[in-house]
Amino acid sequence: GAGVSQTPSNKVTEKGKYVELRCDPISGHTALYWYRQSLGQGPEFLIYFQGTGAADDSGLPNDRFFAVRPEGSVSTLKIQRTERGDSAVYLCASSFDRGQGYTFGSGTRLTVV
Amino acid sequence: GQQVMQIPQYQHVQEGEDFTTYCNSSTTLSNIQWYKQRPGGHPVFLIQLVKSGEVKKQKRLTFQFGEAKKNSSLHITATQTTDVGTYFCAARASGGFKTIFGAGTRLFVKA
């Protein structure tokens, strides 16, 4: 596609529920990143994929968070047993390779009530 | 762990005045990137610096990478109202994979 697409754009869920956030990167971009951003803060690194593999998942806060990229294109960020503190904008970005600038999607605003 | 400090946190300027934001790291960086995020929007890539002492210009924007590759700056000459937004530096440590963002400098421009 022309840009990075993230769905849904907004997600409201109840505490304790499971959510999946999807990212469709720019075609041909091998590197894919997930960040989350709270109001007034910079994007916080979660995980980086090179192809299908997670090259660096050191930013995932705990084992409730998991991400996959099975075919090296679309990625899904999965959050189990959501907590109110998980509320944030989850941003996905892609780049041609890890040495290039990132193109961000518009994000998914997650609200846990 | 790797941290990137960015100052100031925010700045108010009169249209036509200059603006500078600074980014500092305690570790040597592989590269540094700059992004702009408009209110309600997502970060948009501006530029990447890789070489020690590198200086790049984009119209009224001047980007510098320090000689020691531990700091960087973004300078805007003669700000315009369209420059409003938050400017983030983002850096990758030498040998690392992840890019860490600073907290950003929010620029307000008064017409």
Side-chain angles (χ1 to χ4, degrees):
Chain A
V4 177
S5 175
Q6 289 189 247
T7 54
S9 55
N10 279 285
K11 176 71 176 178
V12 180
T13 190
E14 292 181 346
K15 179 176 177 295
K17 298 289 188 183
Y18 167 82
V19 296
E20 289 190 351
L21 312 180
R22 176 188 166 104
C23 174
D24 199 341
I26 291 174
S27 179
H29 279 194
T30 60
L32 184 145
Y33 317 83
W34 283 98
Y35 285 81
R36 72 177 175 182
Q37 188 174 28
S38 299
L39 192 63
Q41 304 295 316
E44 173 193 5
F45 172 80
L46 296 177
I47 188 169
Y48 155 57
F49 285 93
Q50 182 61 44
T52 60
D56 188 337
D57 64 357
S58 62
L60 296 177
N62 51 58
D63 61 6
R64 296 186 297 105
F65 289 75
F66 189 69
V68 295
R69 195 186 185 198
E71 297 178 358
S73 55
V74 171
S75 177
T76 304
L77 178 64
K78 308 179 182 191
I79 311 174
Q80 298 178 324
R81 304 183 304 280
T82 51
E83 299 177 356
R84 292 195 179 87
D86 299 334
S87 297
V89 175
Y90 288 80
L91 294 165
C92 176
S94 70
S95 63
F96 184 71
D97 63 42
R98 74 181 180 109
Q100 307 295 317
Y102 301 173
T103 301
F104 278 87
S106 297
T108 294
R109 181 176 299 278
L110 175 67
T111 304
V112 182
V113 297
Chain B
Q2 180 189 350
Q3 283 192 328
V4 176
M5 306 303 294
Q6 197 172 348
I7 56 170
Q9 185 177 356
Y10 58 88
Q11 187 155 7
H12 294 258
V13 300
Q14 195 75 29
E15 190 174 26
E17 292 181 338
D18 291 356
F19 160 76
T20 305
T21 173
Y22 301 90
C23 187
N24 296 287
S25 170
S26 58
T27 58
T28 302
L29 302 172
S30 175
N31 64 30
I32 197 154
Q33 300 174 347
W34 286 92
Y35 292 80
K36 178 183 178 181
Q37 186 172 23
R38 294 182 184 274
H42 55 273
V44 174
F45 175 71
L46 296 176
I47 207 158
Q48 176 170 273
L49 305 172
V50 178
K51 299 177 183 177
S52 169
E54 190 169 14
V55 178
K56 288 188 175 180
K57 293 190 175 185
Q58 289 180 350
K59 297 182 180 179
R60 296 178 293 104
L61 277 61
T62 301
F63 305 84
Q64 293 188 323
F65 201 7
E67 293 289 343
K69 299 184 73 174
K70 289 186 176 181
N71 56 72
S72 181
S73 65
L74 158 59
H75 180 82
I76 302 178
T77 304
T79 54
Q80 300 175 358
T81 55
T82 53
D83 295 326
V84 162
T86 301
Y87 293 84
F88 293 100
C89 63
R92 182 160 56 90
S94 294
F97 290 107
K98 61 188 176 187
T99 294
I100 302 299
F101 279 72
T105 296
R106 186 162 183 184
L107 174 63
F108 299 86
V109 180
K110 185 175 181 181

